[in-house]
């Protein structure tokens, strides 16, 4: 065996090019890049046939992010990164069993994640037998019985981990959680544990619902839109069309982010010919370059300025009627604001008082405010505090449950919200479990299961021995790469339901399975004929998705059929579910969803409405199902920006050629990076102070409670980023993120605030 497979992507050779970032986003380059990927991977005819159905009624939902579809869809209702996501899945390339016979796992692991992803679609179920380093073909029945044997030999169902990635459809997610609970555990970690779990935890406490309260139409009425810790230009690109329309009608947009992302500076709409010739539409009215994890301070500064104005002109800033009727905890919060000094706020936020006052004046002048956020708020130890500053800010002006106003955590994965709604959550409420038990005549387990971080710990400590992943790239999406790799290697069996090869297939338990599934773009034919599935977007709209391509291989099965196959083989006669009947026609799964999942009554019927249907949201109607029965103000201290000399605070980010752990290409053209990913963005003055020159290779070491982790050979790139702050891409930098560095209450990995130090890479190591 030629050495064990590498858990980390390989170091990069020569070829990195650094250019000036562009001054405007999208436009013709976005069209060209989208076509280059689409035609390059699918060919012109297949590309046209596929993209014409993307995000269309009767078509399929984009496997990219969870930005909603407008009521009136454009002919090309997708963005550059949506086209890339589809091209990745609908590629003409195939990985046949012969490929695995020629390439060992160790050999494959020496290739980059981008290279692995370009190999194409998986076509056959594959098994890695104990002691072997090559996958070999296996029949579906063989795969199901191997998994069943390993699951049934466990001393307890809690020794198994059932992970879900946000691409899984509602129907597959509902069946999966049903199987897992029939098996006897709630170990249902999912990718939202790494992203918006903090939003759910924070909003649940203060608004009584863990989801956003706005609709897409609300953006047509907002006077101001605050965008915190989010880069829509890369991660939710169609949001730019919505922001452009808002900016053009005079709405003020405030971006609060350590990085001034080009897409929030200027945007050329690729589908507005006149736009393509002009200099583009200015988007953000104001950019606040907050330091990493300075959001609590920044928001408290803005609210302190609003309070000053309210005290100058009582009743002109705060919505007193709303505050009286619908909130609790206001006085304690205002006392905290009054007691917090401006010097403390400016020190912790990295902003000037004047900058925060400018943002406050925009808020004061606005009757309807929407606040959007993403990972920049959710991946910190104080993430829940970050988000609850945003709700405090909106509550002061009554901006919840008002048209044109509300909270909008923007989900990064197409159905991550739907999966949780369907029961993919390690601590579902008794009301759900009661209904599930009633519907399927069994007693679901009540003991809470493992989320992602706790699942990794359980595998590492030998408390879990079988891992099944429904989609995703568990190893590369999770923190502390070497620790997670050890955890997976300690399993008896690791199995993945996947469309493409990734690094999680190379870092395995003693045995491993690859279970290749249909993609969103493909026709899903079952006994009852072609089936459609459903998904839920960031704004709680549930709608149908139906592929239009022939499957990439005759051996592929749908996610639902794979779950049913595993369930039948594992549970046998002890199951109370007619799995065959459910997958023969997914309408039966939706009928069961109607009876089990709150808000999903008459699911099949309501899907017939144009665009689908919106799930209920009590906070949107100003019914706050919280401990006080009211929307709650909360008081949180500003986290200190405490770094030792020479240390920096690092955040991991995505490049423009990336979707989560899927690497579409090696460029990040919106930041001037070409043909490379191992870069670290640094403030020019910090570079000088650290004695590092632009372009030099550095090793990054993270520091956490006396522990150190090192990632080697990142190119130092001078960039417009606040002092003592740094940024790198994941998954390359995930090895630096400690498994124990997590957000309070949500247990989300704190990938956006990692304490690091730098050292020049040793010459020998750089040869
Ligand atoms: S904005 Fe998101 S959902 Fe829409 S096409 Fe782009 S990647 Fe897909």
């Amino acid at each position: 065996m030629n050495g064990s497979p590498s858990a980390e992507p390989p170091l990069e050779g020569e070829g990195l090019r650094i250019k000036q970032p562009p001054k405007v986003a999208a436009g013709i380059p976005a069209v060209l890049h989208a076509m280059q990927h689409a035609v390059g991977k699918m060919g012109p005819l297949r590309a046209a046939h596929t993209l014409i159905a993307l995000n269309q009624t009767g078509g399929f939902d984009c496997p990219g992010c969870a930005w909603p579809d407008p009521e009136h869809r454009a002919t090309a209702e997708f963005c550059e990164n949506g086209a890339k996501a589809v091209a990745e899945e609908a590629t003409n390339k195939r990985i046949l069993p012969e490929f695995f016979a020629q390439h060992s796992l160790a050999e494959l692991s020496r290739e980059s994640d981008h290279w692995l992803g370009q190999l194409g679609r998986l076509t056959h179920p594959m098994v890695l037998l104990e002691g072997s380093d090559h996958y070999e073909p296996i029949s579906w029945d063989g795969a199901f019985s191997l998994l069943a044997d390993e699951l049934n030999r466990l001393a307890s169902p809690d020794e198994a981990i059932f992970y879900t990635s946000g691409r899984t459809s509602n129907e597959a997610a509902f069946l999966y959680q049903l199987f897992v609970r029939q098996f006897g555990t709630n170990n249902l970690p999912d990718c939202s544990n790494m992203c918006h779990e903090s939003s759910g935890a924070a909003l649940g406490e203060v608004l009584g619902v863990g989801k956003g309260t706005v609709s897409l139409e609300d953006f047509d009425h907002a006077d101001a839109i605050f965008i915190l810790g989010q880069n829509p230009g890369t991660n939710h690109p169609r949001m730019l069309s919505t922001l452009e329309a808002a900016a053009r009608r005079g709405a003020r947009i405030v971006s609060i982010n350590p990085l001034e992302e080009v897409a929030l500076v200027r945007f050329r709409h690729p589908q507005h010919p006149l736009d393509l010739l002009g200099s583009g539409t200015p988007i953000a009215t104001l950019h606040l370059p907050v330091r990493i994890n300075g959001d609590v301070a920044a928001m408290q500064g803005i609210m302190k300025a609003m309070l000053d104005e309210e005290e100058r002109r009582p009743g002109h800033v705060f919505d007193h009627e709303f505050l009286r009727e619908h909130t609790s905890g206001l006085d304690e919060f205002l006392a905290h604001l009054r007691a917090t000094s401006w010097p403390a706020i400016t020190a912790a936020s990295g902003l000037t008082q004047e900058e925060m006052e400018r943002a406050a004046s925009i808020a004061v002048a606005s009757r309807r405010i929407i606040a959007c956020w993403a990972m920049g708020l959710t991946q910190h130890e104080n993430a829940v505090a970050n988000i609850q500053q945003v709700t405090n800010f909106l509550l002061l002006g009554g901006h919840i449950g008002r048209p044109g106003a509300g909270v909008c955590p923007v989900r990064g994965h197409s159905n991550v919200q739907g999966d949780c709604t369907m029961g993919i959550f390690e601590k579902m409420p008794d009301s759900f479990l009661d209904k599930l038990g009633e519907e399927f005549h069994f007693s679901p387990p009540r003991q809470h299961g493992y989320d992602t971080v706790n699942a990794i710990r359980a595998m590492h400590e030998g408390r879990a021995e079988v891992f099944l992943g429904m989609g995703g790239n568990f190893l590369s999406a999770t923190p502390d790469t070497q620790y997670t790799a050890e955890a997976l290697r300690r399993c008896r069996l690791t199995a993945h339901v996947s469309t493409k090869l990734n690094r999680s297939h190379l870092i395995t338990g003693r045995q491993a399975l690859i279970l290749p599934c249909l993609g969103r773009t493909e026709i899903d034919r079952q006994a009852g004929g072609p089936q459609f599935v459903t998904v839920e977007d960031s704004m709680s709209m549930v709608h149908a998705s139906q592929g239009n391509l022939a499957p990439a291989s005759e051996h592929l099965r749908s996610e639902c059929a794979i779950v049913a196959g595993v369930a039948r083989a594992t549970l046998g006669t002890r199951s109370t579910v007619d799995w065959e009947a459910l997958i023969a026609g997914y309408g039966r799964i939706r009928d069961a969803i109607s009876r089990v999942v709150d808000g999903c009554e008459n699911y099949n019927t309501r899907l017939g409405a144009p665009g689908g249907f919106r799930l209920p949201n009590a906070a949107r109607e100003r019914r706050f199902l919280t401990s006080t029965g009211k929307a709650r103000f909360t008081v949180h201290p500003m986290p200190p920006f405490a770094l030792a000399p020479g240390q920096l605070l690092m955040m991991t980010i995505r490049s423009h050629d990336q979707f989560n752990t899927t690497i579409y290409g090696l460029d990040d053209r919106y930041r001037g990076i070409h043909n490379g990913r191992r870069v670290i963005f640094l403030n020019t003055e910090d570079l000088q102070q650290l004695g590092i020159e632009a372009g030099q290779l550095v090793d990054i070491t993270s520091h956490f409670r006396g522990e150190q982790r090192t990632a080697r050979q990142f190119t130092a790139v001078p960039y417009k980023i606040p002092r003592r702050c740094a940024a790198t891409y994941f998954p390359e930098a995930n090895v630096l993120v400690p498994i124990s560095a997590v957000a309070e209450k949500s247990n989300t990995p704190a990938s956006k605030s990692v304490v690091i130090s730098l050292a020049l890479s040793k010459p020998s190591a750089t040869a």
Side-chain angles (χ1 to χ4, degrees):
M1 296 245 272
N2 40 16
S4 68
S6 164
E8 291 179 54
L11 304 181
E12 283 175 355
E14 305 298 309
L16 175 71
R17 300 186 310 285
I18 314 290
K19 298 181 184 171
Q20 268 308 310
K23 300 243 176 302
V24 57
I28 292 170
V31 177
L32 295 177
H33 282 272
M35 288 311 111
Q36 182 197 356
H37 278 264
V39 175
K41 291 193 171 82
M42 297 188 274
L45 295 179
R46 183 177 170 84
H49 174 68
T50 311
L51 293 176
I52 203 73
L54 176 53
N55 291 333
Q56 298 296 340
T57 305
F60 61 89
D61 182 69
C62 175
C65 81
W67 187 255
D69 304 322
E71 195 176 344
H72 308 294
R73 310 202 184 175
T75 310
E77 187 53 57
F78 54 86
C79 72
E80 172 192 343
N81 281 0
K84 290 175 187 169
V86 167
E88 284 286 314
E89 183 187 294
T91 172
N92 289 326
K93 286 190 177 165
R94 303 284 178 269
I95 307 178
L96 301 175
E98 296 73 24
F99 172 87
F100 291 104
Q102 292 147 12
H103 300 279
S104 72
L105 272 63
E107 198 187 319
L108 291 171
S109 75
R110 289 194 284 276
E111 299 293 347
S112 71
D113 292 349
H114 178 236
W115 185 90
L116 292 170
Q118 299 318 299
L119 291 169
R121 292 288 301 277
L122 296 158
T123 58
H124 289 69
M126 303 297 292
V127 64
L128 179 77
L129 298 174
E130 186 154 4
S132 169
D133 63 349
H134 280 72
Y135 277 103
E136 49 196 276
I138 186 170
S139 68
W140 277 107
D141 289 346
F144 292 149
S145 53
L146 170 60
L147 195 45
D149 292 350
E150 289 300 335
L151 286 170
N152 288 329
R153 67 175 288 158
L154 294 169
S156 152
D158 290 328
E159 294 179 3
I161 305 291
F162 299 94
Y163 175 73
T164 307
S165 114
R167 181 175 295 194
T168 304
S169 69
N170 279 358
E171 289 75 8
F174 185 78
L175 276 195
Y176 193 40
Q177 63 81 29
L178 174 59
F179 156 58
V180 172
R181 292 190 167 108
Q182 288 245 318
F183 178 67
T185 183
N186 285 308
N187 286 349
L188 286 156
D190 73 296
C191 66
S192 80
N193 297 155
M194 262 90 67
C195 62
H196 274 290
E197 199 69 50
S198 303
S199 303
L203 295 175
E205 267 185 9
V206 294
L207 299 183
V209 60
K211 299 178 178 182
T213 62
V214 301
S215 68
L216 190 55
E217 295 68 37
D218 281 317
F219 284 82
D220 300 339
H221 309 291
D223 303 318
I225 301 166
F226 279 65
I227 301 174
L228 300 99
Q230 186 198 358
N231 176 20
T234 288
N235 304 328
H236 315 94
R238 277 188 303 160
M239 182 175 173
L240 293 177
S241 312
T242 304
L243 294 177
E244 183 200 41
R248 286 196 166 175
R249 66 173 174 75
R252 272 97 64 91
I253 297 170
V254 178
S255 160
I256 303 176
N257 192 323
L259 300 178
E260 186 171 28
E261 303 286 11
V262 63
L264 289 176
V265 177
R266 270 181 184 278
F267 167 64
R268 272 202 198 98
H269 197 305
Q271 300 186 35
H272 295 171
L274 290 180
D275 248 23
L276 296 177
L277 306 171
S279 60
T281 305
I283 299 294
T285 317
L286 174 66
H287 170 67
L288 299 186
V290 67
R291 60 166 40 130
I292 291 178
N293 208 17
D295 303 276
V296 168
M299 293 311 293
Q300 290 188 2
I302 293 170
M303 290 185 274
K304 187 175 176 69
M306 291 166 70
L307 175 58
D308 294 347
E309 186 62 17
E310 169 65 24
E311 285 168 349
R312 266 192 296 276
R313 298 186 299 131
H316 283 79
V317 178
F318 293 174
D319 181 335
H320 288 285
E321 187 191 342
F322 174 83
L323 292 170
R324 221 179 10 261
E325 275 181 47
H326 294 292
T327 70
S328 62
L330 176 65
D331 296 342
E332 296 81 359
F333 178 61
L334 295 182
H336 169 79
L337 280 184
R338 291 189 184 96
T340 307
S341 72
W342 275 114
I345 289 173
T346 53
S349 65
L351 299 172
T352 64
Q353 181 172 342
E354 191 269 334
E355 284 173 317
M356 288 177 273
E357 285 171 344
R358 285 181 60 199
S361 61
I362 290 174
V364 167
S366 303
R367 178 94 182 94
R368 293 166 285 268
I369 301 177
I370 293 176
C372 307
W373 68 85
M375 302 312 100
L377 291 193
T378 67
Q379 295 179 332
H380 297 274
E381 291 189 30
N382 51 281
V384 167
N386 286 343
I387 294 154
Q388 292 182 346
Q389 294 323 297
V390 176
T391 53
N392 283 350
F393 166 67
L394 293 175
L395 291 178
L396 288 174
H399 301 291
I400 302 277
R402 171 186 292 156
V407 290
C408 183
V410 187
R411 308 275 176 164
H413 216 321
S414 57
N415 200 36
V416 63
Q417 189 162 308
D419 293 339
C420 296
T421 303
M422 291 299 124
I424 302 291
F425 186 40
E426 77 279 1
K427 39 183 188 264
M428 282 305 278
D430 281 340
S431 56
F432 175 90
L433 298 173
D434 292 345
K435 285 185 176 179
L436 187 70
E438 225 172 277
E439 174 70 17
F440 293 102
H441 318 293
F442 78 109
S443 308
R446 302 287 164 159
Q447 182 192 327
H448 290 171
Y450 298 135
D451 61 16
T452 298
V453 164
N454 291 337
I456 296 170
R457 287 185 181 291
M459 291 186 282
H460 198 275
E461 294 156 17
R463 291 180 280 113
E465 294 197 322
V466 174
F467 173 93
L468 173 60
M470 179 62 78
N473 180 356
F474 189 83
L475 173 77
S476 302
T478 49
D480 219 336
T481 312
Q482 292 302 347
Y483 180 89
T484 302
E486 281 160 25
L488 291 166
R489 287 188 174 119
R490 289 179 183 173
C491 288
R492 285 191 52 79
L493 173 69
T494 51
H496 300 270
V497 176
S498 305
T499 54
K500 304 191 67 188
L501 190 68
N502 63 49
R503 200 163 291 279
S504 294
H505 300 120
L506 310 179
I507 304 302
T508 69
R510 291 208 289 277
Q511 305 160 94
L513 284 169
I514 300 178
L515 307 172
C517 67
L518 292 174
R520 280 267 178 90
T521 55
E522 290 165 324
I523 299 166
D524 178 353
R525 215 175 286 284
Q526 298 299 327
Q531 303 296 314
F532 68 86
V533 293
T534 54
V535 293
E536 177 190 341
D537 63 36
S538 278
M539 297 178 196
S540 302
M541 281 299 287
V542 176
H543 56 274
S545 173
Q546 186 155 14
N548 67 346
L549 293 177
S553 153
E554 60 180 326
H555 303 291
L556 302 184
R557 293 194 180 184
S558 73
E559 295 170 322
C560 291
I562 293 173
V563 171
V566 174
R568 259 196 322 272
T570 306
L571 302 171
T573 53
R574 68 181 197 267
S575 178
T576 58
V577 178
D578 183 347
W579 301 98
E580 221 47 63
L582 288 177
I583 59 166
Y586 295 175
R588 296 191 188 93
I589 302 173
R590 290 186 283 272
D591 287 339
I593 291 172
S594 298
R595 294 186 288 268
V596 170
V597 181
D598 288 347
C600 288
E601 299 72 17
N602 306 320
Y603 195 98
N604 277 310
T605 313
R606 292 160 73 198
L607 276 173
F613 67 91
R614 186 180 309 286
L615 289 171
N617 186 307
R620 195 176 154 76
E621 299 141 28
R622 293 189 164 180
R623 286 184 301 109
F624 300 106
L625 310 174
T626 63
S627 58
T628 62
K630 300 203 173 202
R632 295 176 51 206
F633 280 96
T634 50
V635 174
H636 294 280
M638 298 183 291
F641 192 77
L643 295 171
Q647 289 187 334
L648 306 162
L649 199 57
M650 180 199 86
M651 60 181 177
T652 64
I653 57 176
R654 283 189 198 171
S655 79
H656 190 63
D657 265 1
Q658 163 184 8
F659 174 75
N660 283 345
T661 57
T662 302
I663 312 297
Y664 301 136
L666 301 179
D667 297 348
D668 185 9
R669 72 174 188 281
Y670 285 170
R671 299 193 182 106
I673 303 295
H674 296 268
N675 198 32
R677 294 184 47 82
R678 293 184 83 84
V679 297
I680 180 165
F681 297 100
L682 295 161
N683 176 287
T684 310
E685 289 174 62
D686 289 335
L687 276 167
Q688 280 152 7
Q689 197 157 28
L690 294 166
I692 298 170
E693 285 164 28
Q696 276 191 307
L697 286 178
V698 295
D699 295 346
I700 309 172
T701 297
S702 68
H703 305 271
F704 183 76
R705 299 179 190 159
E707 299 166 3
Q708 296 193 348
R709 295 163 175 79
T710 296
R712 292 191 306 115
Q713 294 186 31
F714 285 71
T715 299
V717 176
Y719 203 78
K720 200 175 164 193
I721 189 168
R723 290 294 311 267
R724 311 290 299 274
C725 298
T728 52
Y729 300 133
F730 76 88
E732 287 78 0
N734 279 354
V735 66
L736 296 166
V737 182
I739 190 77
S740 311
V742 292
E744 289 150 23
K745 294 182 181 162
S746 67
N747 221 25
T748 294
S751 310
K752 287 279 192 282
S753 41
V754 183
V755 176
I756 61 165
S757 60
L758 305 176
L760 290 177
S761 298
K762 299 206 169 25
S764 60
T766 59

